[in-house]
Amino acid sequence: MDHTLEHLVVRHARRLPVPVGPAGDGAAAARQLDAVLMSVGFKLSADLLAALSGLAEETVRATAARALDTVRELVGDHVRHNAYFKDFPAGVPDTRDFWARCLAEALVDPSARRSVTERLRAGVLNLLDLPSYGRYRHTYEEMLAAHDELIAAAGDRLTVLHPGRPLDEEVTALYLSLAGTTTPLGDAHLRDLALLAGHRADGPQPEEIPVREVRAVVNRARLAAGADPLLDTVTDVLRLACALADGDVTLREPTRFRALSRPLRRALLGGLDAVVAASPAKLADVPAHREAWKRLGERLHPHEYPRWPHAAEVFAVARGEKAAPSFDSRVEALLGRNDVTGAAELLTSAPGRLLRALDRLLRTAEGPEELEAVATACERVLPQVSGRVVLSLREHLWNRTDEGGKHRIFVNRFGGARTTADTRPPLPDAVRERLCAALDAETRRRLPDPGRLLVDPAVLDVALPLSGRATADGLGVLPRGSVSPVEGDLLRFFTYWKQTARRTDHDLSALVLDADHQTVARLSYTALTAVGGAHSGDITDAPEGASEFIDLRLGAVRGTYIVPQVNIYSGEGFEEVEESFFGFMLRDAEQKGRPFEPRTVRMKSDLRGPGRVALPLAFARDDDGRWHARWLHLHLKGEPSANRVSVTVLLRGLLARTPLTVRHLVDLMADGTAAPTAWDGTTPVPDGPVTYIGLERPAGLPPGSRVFTPENLRDLIPA
């Protein structure tokens, strides 16, 4: 288990806990580890190299084996990446010539000739029926032998691992960071939190657990450890029940509740009774999840516990036997009477709901007096609302400008997206600007004094992680809406999948669009060569895992946008396969090397979602001819051909939207003080602790410095 915890620390913090062990001469083993790490794009910091060098050799070697396994998985090098065309990117044939060759080979194959001939006579022949199509025809070792070694280049990725504290301290710090987060976590982080919470249920706890689904995960661990759960609403109890059933703690998807032991039933009913007894008004939250409460009541049997009558009231409300008008219904009643001022005043007792309903209130308001009442109510409750909600509203209002032809983009927690024409009337500019100023003032008030602020300019266009669901787990992955520069001659996409139980075909493709989002070209298994690029070939079965690649020379692309996609052609979906991920590499044309070279990988993202088409990111060329990655993290339904219009509409809508970025918070932190120092780690280290914000943690920062990188950027969001 210690190995698993160490893996989590390295993955989340890019720190390697220095092992506790006998002193010795581990310098040679430490240097060997550093050399091997560099071959996959990682490196030990000078401090970590020195710390390992002072340990016994056997301790260093054991640590090295675990660390290497972790970073190879991070970058996607823990599996074998073979290509259908052995010499890829050289030797990729014309698509029709390749299909004709597969057919000719089938006609001379005694085992396939008869069935292929019959299908040809019938007039329909499926490529997948040809014995040489979609299956590797060479070994991984033969593919390696066909390629020269990669020539190292200064632009290759180099991720530095820093020394960590002892494992126990690092695990506690990671647990406190995840449990105390002010922004919702993605599914992968919630799973990691569940593991950490089981180890830290009886240890230090965060002062507050503001995110409700995070609280549910922690409460499950507390129950398992014999501690009381943290409950202050009836919905907290429902989320905890979902966690115990391995269901959806966000309550967006129905949970199938299982039979519960008597101790668990007593804990849930006792907690529910205490919440309602302390505040009967909280029964108003029950109707929002009426059906879930009914199903849970079938498992809890509240009638068997008469000593908890308040808990029984919850289920009476769910069954409609007891009236408890919901808060939302009271708001709707006021709006139904066109009483916008009354609705705004009522919503001040639920500040978060007021901010979420603000756009509707402003659109419904009639005349200056009602607009003033709504704006004043919003300003009055701002200090009571979480920083994440303040920033989310700020982003929303900034994008509510009076521009015709806009589309509204809706993205759910799974990355599923849809668009619709924006028919909402514009918000008055004066009110919108007034509220934006108030939101900025509230955010500035909450931000800590950064002291000496150092900022890597490359991080300024990274979108603020207002939700962990706006990104994916992996290496070099940024939140949806982020923009990052792309430097290199050769852009290479890759996807890998390994099926669990049945034949599965995932297809990698890339769509090239012009400035008007019209299709210029497409690279896929149906177009192996186009726009100066090449596809590595279609693999249709992955019992041992399979990879597909697309090569593009950016200078040869005659288009404005490049949109890579991964499509489920057949078989298991992204959440059914044993493993699936996507990424891209950048290298210079002269570097050569294998199809997959870990130290050229700039991004590797796990593919998990219910859709049939994954859109991790897009690439856009600016007016100066420079390329940038724009992060999407979307999953679409249906086949790619049915989604081309959706892709272009989504891309147009997302590119037109301006997310709040790190630049926004940096500007607020620097307001009225000295401007932040642009620092990339190459200039002399300042004296005294600093606040550093960048894409990578630099070496040599003074003790006591605070560091924010994409791995913990959520901690920059004020509470």
Side-chain angles (χ1 to χ4, degrees):
M1 184 56 72
D2 282 353
H3 296 173
T4 301
L5 296 175
E6 183 181 84
H7 171 84
L8 289 180
V9 172
V10 173
R11 188 157 58 83
H12 283 273
R14 304 295 187 264
R15 290 195 297 270
L16 179 63
V18 177
V20 177
D25 185 6
R31 288 194 299 270
Q32 289 174 354
L33 170 60
D34 194 38
V36 176
L37 284 173
M38 289 182 68
S39 70
V40 292
F42 291 81
K43 181 174 176 53
L44 301 176
S45 71
D47 291 342
L48 182 52
L49 181 63
L52 293 176
S53 296
L55 296 171
E57 183 176 345
E58 56 271 21
T59 302
V60 177
R61 292 196 179 280
T63 302
R66 299 192 303 270
L68 187 59
D69 286 345
T70 297
V71 300
R72 290 186 66 202
E73 183 178 340
L74 264 175
V75 79
D77 192 45
H78 60 300
V79 298
R80 291 183 162 192
H81 293 277
N82 202 350
Y84 180 89
F85 297 117
K86 182 173 62 174
D87 298 325
F88 173 83
V92 176
D94 173 79
T95 308
R96 293 186 178 182
D97 291 344
F98 168 64
W99 291 350
R101 189 175 72 202
C102 290
L103 176 59
E105 291 172 347
L107 291 174
V108 298
D109 183 346
S111 63
R113 185 190 308 122
R114 181 175 179 179
S115 63
V116 169
T117 302
E118 290 175 352
R119 288 181 173 84
L120 285 173
R121 287 172 179 164
V124 178
L125 178 65
N126 191 335
L127 283 172
L128 276 68
D129 295 331
L130 301 178
S132 62
Y133 185 88
R135 298 164 182 81
Y136 289 117
R137 307 185 67 187
H138 51 264
T139 66
Y140 176 73
E141 289 75 17
E142 289 171 337
M143 185 275 295
L144 293 184
H147 293 271
D148 296 328
E149 290 292 324
L150 179 74
I151 301 171
D156 290 347
R157 179 188 53 80
L158 198 61
T159 302
V160 178
L161 298 181
H162 297 269
R165 293 164 289 182
L167 180 60
D168 189 66
E169 294 182 28
E170 287 287 350
V171 169
T172 297
L174 179 56
Y175 167 67
L176 293 176
S177 174
L178 293 177
T181 180
T182 60
T183 62
L185 300 176
D187 291 339
H189 280 54
L190 283 175
R191 288 192 295 270
D192 293 344
L193 174 62
L195 178 62
L196 293 165
H199 288 268
R200 290 297 177 269
D202 56 353
Q205 299 295 316
E207 293 182 5
E208 186 180 1
I209 304 177
V211 179
R212 295 293 172 169
E213 51 261 44
V214 169
R215 181 179 294 191
V217 172
V218 173
N219 277 338
R220 177 179 180 176
R222 290 176 63 86
L223 273 182
D228 292 332
L230 308 172
L231 307 169
D232 59 25
T233 70
V234 294
T235 311
D236 280 343
V237 180
L238 182 59
R239 292 184 195 275
L240 174 55
C242 291
L244 292 169
D246 295 323
D248 179 16
V249 295
T250 69
L251 305 182
R252 289 178 173 85
E253 297 293 324
T255 292
R256 182 184 293 274
F257 295 108
R258 300 192 295 256
L260 296 167
S261 65
R262 281 190 172 272
L264 289 178
R265 287 158 58 189
R266 287 195 293 267
L268 292 174
L269 288 170
L272 196 57
D273 189 81
V275 168
V276 177
S279 178
K282 292 183 178 180
L283 286 172
D285 293 339
V286 174
H289 304 288
R290 186 186 302 274
E291 292 304 316
W293 281 114
K294 289 180 185 178
R295 302 288 80 79
L296 180 58
E298 295 169 357
R299 297 297 186 182
L300 291 182
H301 312 300
H303 60 278
E304 297 179 5
Y305 300 90
R307 66 182 183 276
W308 291 318
H310 299 292
E313 292 182 66
V314 170
F315 301 99
V317 171
R319 294 190 299 268
E321 299 167 1
K322 178 180 175 66
S326 70
F327 185 85
D328 291 340
S329 67
R330 295 164 60 195
V331 173
E332 290 298 328
L334 289 169
L335 290 175
R337 299 195 295 269
N338 295 320
D339 187 358
V340 175
T341 300
E345 184 61 31
L346 174 60
L347 281 164
T348 58
S349 62
R353 292 183 180 179
L354 171 57
L355 264 63
R356 292 181 176 93
L358 183 66
D359 193 298
R360 181 186 178 189
L361 293 174
L362 291 173
R363 284 184 279 119
T364 309
E366 295 182 357
E369 291 185 3
E370 287 191 343
L371 280 174
E372 176 65 25
V374 173
T376 300
C378 174
E379 291 168 338
R380 193 164 79 240
V381 303
L382 284 183
Q384 306 170 51
V385 182
S386 73
R388 180 181 72 88
V389 174
V390 169
L391 289 167
S392 296
L393 179 60
R394 174 64 167 79
E395 180 177 280
H396 171 80
L397 290 177
W398 190 250
N399 285 279
R400 282 285 276 123
T401 55
D402 185 12
E403 295 180 9
K406 274 194 170 184
H407 283 80
R408 296 183 68 182
I409 308 293
F410 299 90
V411 183
N412 64 25
R413 64 184 294 262
F414 302 108
R418 64 181 180 89
T419 63
T420 184
D422 192 351
T423 59
R424 297 171 299 177
L427 300 180
D429 286 341
V431 174
R432 190 175 65 88
E433 292 171 5
R434 167 185 169 180
L435 291 175
C436 283
L439 292 164
D440 286 348
E442 179 60 28
T443 301
R444 188 184 299 111
R445 183 184 69 81
R446 300 186 192 195
L447 287 169
D449 181 2
R452 181 76 179 275
L453 180 58
L454 306 182
V455 179
D456 174 6
V459 81
L460 291 174
D461 291 325
V462 172
L464 293 177
L466 300 178
S467 172
R469 305 186 193 101
T471 187
D473 202 33
L475 174 77
V477 181
L478 299 178
R480 181 182 299 121
S482 298
V483 177
S484 55
V486 173
E487 298 176 356
D489 301 326
L490 178 67
L491 175 63
R492 182 170 295 172
F493 306 126
F494 63 90
T495 192
Y496 172 89
W497 74 99
K498 184 179 182 183
Q499 62 205 42
T500 301
R502 55 195 171 107
R503 181 172 176 172
T504 297
D505 180 4
H506 289 188
D507 289 327
L508 177 66
S509 62
L511 194 63
V512 179
L513 308 174
D514 63 17
D516 295 322
H517 304 89
Q518 300 301 309
T519 301
V520 173
R522 183 181 182 86
L523 271 163
S524 69
Y525 71 93
T526 61
L528 295 172
T529 56
V531 292
H535 190 288
S536 68
D538 188 21
I539 303 297
T540 61
D541 196 13
E544 303 300 325
S547 301
E548 292 185 10
F549 302 87
I550 284 179
D551 220 48
L552 278 169
R553 298 195 179 278
L554 291 174
V557 174
R558 297 294 176 260
T560 305
Y561 303 102
I562 302 170
V563 188
Q565 306 173 45
V566 181
N567 166 51
I568 301 170
Y569 180 84
S570 64
E572 299 166 351
F574 294 124
E575 297 193 337
E576 298 174 279
V577 291
E578 181 177 318
E579 185 175 15
S580 63
F581 54 83
F582 165 90
F584 74 87
M585 294 171 270
L586 287 170
R587 65 180 77 172
D588 296 331
E590 298 79 16
Q591 286 189 263
K592 300 183 180 179
R594 300 166 295 178
F596 183 87
E597 290 285 1
R599 60 185 172 188
T600 67
V601 172
R602 296 312 199 268
M603 178 277 255
K604 175 252 182 182
S605 170
D606 291 348
L607 291 180
R608 286 289 183 262
R612 303 286 297 179
V613 181
L615 300 172
L617 76 174
F619 296 82
R621 191 204 308 261
D622 63 21
D623 294 338
D624 296 325
R626 294 174 300 203
W627 288 90
H628 294 80
R630 294 177 178 261
W631 301 78
L632 303 178
H633 304 299
L634 298 178
H635 284 266
L636 306 182
K637 297 180 180 180
E639 299 299 323
S641 59
N643 275 299
R644 290 196 189 186
V645 174
S646 298
V647 168
T648 57
V649 172
L650 280 171
L651 189 62
R652 185 184 295 114
L654 287 170
L655 293 181
R657 186 173 179 82
T658 304
L660 278 191
T661 63
V662 172
R663 187 188 307 276
H664 179 72
L665 289 189
V666 167
D667 289 344
L668 292 179
M669 281 190 279
D671 186 62
T673 64
T677 301
W679 196 66
D680 60 4
T682 60
T683 55
V685 178
D687 294 328
V690 301
T691 297
Y692 176 79
I693 308 174
L695 293 179
E696 295 277 352
R697 181 190 184 101
L701 290 178
S705 295
R706 297 189 67 195
V707 178
F708 298 95
T709 62
E711 290 72 39
N712 70 332
L713 203 56
R714 62 182 178 275
D715 296 338
L716 196 60
I717 308 298

